[in-house]
Amino acid sequence: MGGDQPNDNFATWLFDSPGSHNDAFDFNNVPFLDFGMEYASRDFWSLDQTQSSNVYDGLNNRTYSTPSVSSEQRFMDVVDANSHISISGGRREAIVMLLSLFMMKKKPRLDASVPTDSILYGAESGDWPNLTILALESCLRAFWRDTAAQVPVVHQPTFSANACEPLLLVAMVALGAAARVRSKPKESVRDYRTFADFIATNLRWELFTHDHAQPPVHLWVAQTLLLLELYEKMHSTRQLHERAHIHHASTLTLLRRGSPMVGRSGSETPPSEAPTRPGSPNTSVPQHDFTTTAKPASDTRSWWKRWVANESMNRVVFAAFQMDTLHACMFGHSADILPHELRLPLPCDDSLWTAKTGEEVRRLENTFAMYRIKQPNFLDGLKRCLHGYEVQTHHFARMIFMAGLLSVAWHINRREKHLQFVETIPSVQEQARWKSLLLQAFGHWRQSFSEVLGDTAHRSSGGSRDAPARDASDPTTLFHLAHLTMHVDIIDIQILSGPKRLVGRRVSDKDRASVVQRVKAWASSSVARHATLHAFKLLQANLCRSSNGGRMSDGSPGWTYSCRNDPFVYRPWILYLAGLTVWAYQYATSQSNNTPINTASFTTTGLPSQSSAADLAKQYISSCAVTDNEDRIPMLLSQEGCIAVLQILAQDFVNAEAEILLEASKRMQECIRLLKEQAKPG
């Protein structure tokens, strides 16, 4: 696609098969209005963010910081293998001063029943006797164990808890505290939950008023904003969940204005001879060969520091994109980042990211260069993934590709809805083409990912806190979420279940009546059967496993899944959506028929009449998930089975910590009530 074709656009290039005449896409033809400025084509793929290490040196100190040391000394200090969790007495005092500042600005509403050995005890007097070094270090350990792999934006080998920005550190502590709470029985460490909410409530304001929270955004600010948003969205109160959505756009604006989404523009930073990592299609800065001349150790440390800053910012951008897309699919929000905005190469291989020294990074880079292994840029990789071509890459990059496919699906769905609003409906052939291509891409992505991970990819890690870090992002779960996203209106099925408010707005009787009609029409279509089948398969993959090794859910003997024990932070909510999809199809189909569904085909499968809810749910899910014939789904419907599934999910979610999951438990109970009322004669 060249400059002589002004009408060409990104979608045309993306959906053309690789190797066609349109393979060479020219970004100069696409109006990137969000940036408000022109970028020369040679700057599109420039990742030479290492040219301005001062931009990413977010280590300036405020009144609550520890005594300053040089950035070079900080980098030399991280040779200690425990620097990522080790907290000194001075750093503990800095954290106490910061939290005391929070306390003066806005006192938390502490429950009177909180015991005096709480981590917040004595806070009103400015003393935090129970906020010990051991308590802080335990939170950091929990962060690296449970959260770092899912949002890999902080470089553990060079991270120093005693040298980083205090605001970044307390964000990590809050997520670690949330992980500690989830790893214990409910209510056993409630003070850590209060502690984490207290940090999150005050942290955002402190970030926004910091001098570094302006374009071009400093690395530590971007990292802190992402970690804070993850906590607010998935671990906290409904109020903080809504606040995260409100301020999500601010985070993206900071990333756009600072231009890390396209690589640092040459006009923003002075020239430098610092190398970019192999695989960066950077034509403006010459690549250096470090194999011919030995470099002093100080040069290696300086180079590695810039390399880490460069790679960390790259990962921040992709993590923000992944979060933006997943939250849009899961909660019905808007997806604000368009795929073509990310004109970057993929993050480096995991082996480079986890390397302990700069020398090791160089050796690995030289090995990759010897075998001509390099990371493709994101858009080329996304196009190949969309068309079913294999892209040899690592775990995090594969997660980014799924976010890219979901983003493409979300934006095209939104485009079709807008066209229907202005009475310009896309042709059936056009809709069928892109949907078929995306569905095939989802399947190829899952198969490729599962082959790389091995058999563990097919075994859900839900319920097993000891699962490997990479299993915390299960491809099977995201694969079925992708199909639900394509075939279910998440907002409609939630409104059907009867909430008074959704996405911050009141649901009127007129809204609900319109939704009832839409869901009835949806339930009579083939896409509804397709969505319901994938919902059953998702529930089976995560709930009907006996080899997870996790704790049993309270009140359900033999049921191995527990949302408290799930290492994948998004999976409980995705399971909620799957259960809601099954219920919506059951409920709408029964309403359309004006009679309850005949359950004989299910109850004659040899199930004991006095089976527990867990056994009944497992039997029901398994009987519906094994079929590959979507048309058989209506024959397998069972109100008793559906109620059992909803009951099990409700019982599990009531043990959660996040308020959105507690609300999901209540919503499941309401769905049970509606099904029972529907089953009453007359």
Side-chain angles (χ1 to χ4, degrees), residues 258-326:
S259 72
M261 287 187 180
V262 297
R264 189 149 304 282
S265 172
S267 62
E268 292 183 17
T269 57
S272 171
E273 295 183 355
T276 56
R277 56 180 171 82
S280 303
N282 181 0
T283 59
S284 60
V285 180
Q287 299 294 322
H288 291 252
D289 182 5
F290 290 97
T291 62
T292 58
T293 305
K295 297 291 184 181
S298 59
D299 288 350
T300 300
R301 284 195 297 269
S302 179
W303 171 81
W304 194 29
K305 178 176 182 292
R306 293 193 298 268
W307 183 92
V308 168
N310 175 54
E311 182 61 34
S312 297
M313 181 59 82
N314 198 28
R315 285 171 173 258
V316 162
V317 171
F318 282 115
F321 173 62
Q322 182 184 20
M323 195 177 294
D324 176 69
T325 303
L326 283 179

Side-chain angles (χ1 to χ4, degrees), residues 429-497:
Q429 294 80 2
E430 180 185 354
Q431 295 181 53
R433 176 176 177 261
W434 73 260
K435 287 183 178 180
S436 175
L437 197 60
L438 278 166
L439 292 177
Q440 291 176 13
F442 293 150
H444 178 268
W445 176 87
R446 180 201 184 188
Q447 180 182 0
S448 175
F449 205 161
S450 298
E451 289 174 354
V452 171
L453 294 181
D455 292 339
T456 56
H458 299 284
R459 298 194 302 269
S460 169
S461 59
S464 175
R465 185 162 291 277
D466 297 326
R470 62 178 53 199
D471 286 345
S473 302
D474 180 21
T476 298
T477 299
L478 293 182
F479 166 75
H480 292 302
L481 172 65
H483 280 266
L484 293 182
T485 300
M486 292 278 289
H487 298 97
V488 181
D489 190 312
I490 298 301
I491 297 296
D492 278 0
I493 63 173
Q494 290 186 81
I495 291 177
L496 184 68
S497 66

Side-chain angles (χ1 to χ4, degrees), residues 119-139:
I119 199 169
L120 290 173
Y121 177 66
E124 292 187 3
S125 63
D127 187 18
W128 301 65
N130 298 319
L131 187 59
T132 63
I133 291 177
L134 289 178
L136 293 172
E137 289 182 344
S138 69
C139 290

Side-chain angles (χ1 to χ4, degrees), residues 235-483:
H235 295 290
S236 64
T237 63
R238 165 58 69 175
Q239 182 180 8
L240 290 179
H241 177 88
E242 297 292 345
R243 190 181 77 169
H245 176 56
I246 292 170
H247 293 295
H248 173 67
S250 300
T251 301
L252 299 187
T253 301
L254 279 172
L255 293 177
R256 285 191 178 100
R257 290 298 184 93
S259 72
M261 287 187 180
V262 297
R264 189 149 304 282
S265 172
S267 62
E268 292 183 17
T269 57
S272 171
E273 295 183 355
T276 56
R277 56 180 171 82
S280 303
N282 181 0
T283 59
S284 60
V285 180
Q287 299 294 322
H288 291 252
D289 182 5
F290 290 97
T291 62
T292 58
T293 305
K295 297 291 184 181
S298 59
D299 288 350
T300 300
R301 284 195 297 269
S302 179
W303 171 81
W304 194 29
K305 178 176 182 292
R306 293 193 298 268
W307 183 92
V308 168
N310 175 54
E311 182 61 34
S312 297
M313 181 59 82
N314 198 28
R315 285 171 173 258
V316 162
V317 171
F318 282 115
F321 173 62
Q322 182 184 20
M323 195 177 294
D324 176 69
T325 303
L326 283 179
H327 291 178
C329 294
M330 291 167 53
F331 301 114
H333 299 163
S334 295
D336 295 323
I337 302 181
L338 293 163
H340 64 65
E341 292 186 70
L342 305 185
R343 289 162 279 170
L344 298 169
L346 290 167
C348 73
D349 189 82
D350 291 337
S351 60
L352 290 168
W353 180 247
T354 57
K356 303 299 183 184
T357 64
E359 291 81 0
E360 185 180 351
V361 171
R362 278 179 169 162
R363 286 195 299 269
L364 287 169
E365 285 188 335
N366 290 332
T367 301
F368 290 157
M370 181 187 307
Y371 290 99
R372 299 184 182 278
I373 299 174
K374 63 179 181 180
Q375 291 296 334
N377 64 65
F378 165 68
L379 290 178
D380 284 342
L382 177 61
K383 180 174 181 177
R384 292 185 62 82
C385 190
L386 177 63
H387 291 274
Y389 290 84
E390 179 64 26
V391 181
Q392 295 291 342
T393 188
H394 54 94
H395 175 267
F396 184 43
R398 291 178 186 274
M399 298 298 295
I400 293 169
F401 282 147
M402 174 51 82
L405 294 174
L406 287 171
S407 180
V408 171
W410 190 94
H411 282 99
I412 293 181
N413 262 323
R414 178 57 59 92
R415 168 183 171 270
E416 289 192 349
K417 288 182 179 180
H418 286 176
L419 290 177
Q420 291 176 6
F421 179 75
V422 297
E423 299 181 354
T424 307
I425 301 176
S427 67
V428 176
Q429 294 80 2
E430 180 185 354
Q431 295 181 53
R433 176 176 177 261
W434 73 260
K435 287 183 178 180
S436 175
L437 197 60
L438 278 166
L439 292 177
Q440 291 176 13
F442 293 150
H444 178 268
W445 176 87
R446 180 201 184 188
Q447 180 182 0
S448 175
F449 205 161
S450 298
E451 289 174 354
V452 171
L453 294 181
D455 292 339
T456 56
H458 299 284
R459 298 194 302 269
S460 169
S461 59
S464 175
R465 185 162 291 277
D466 297 326
R470 62 178 53 199
D471 286 345
S473 302
D474 180 21
T476 298
T477 299
L478 293 182
F479 166 75
H480 292 302
L481 172 65
H483 280 266

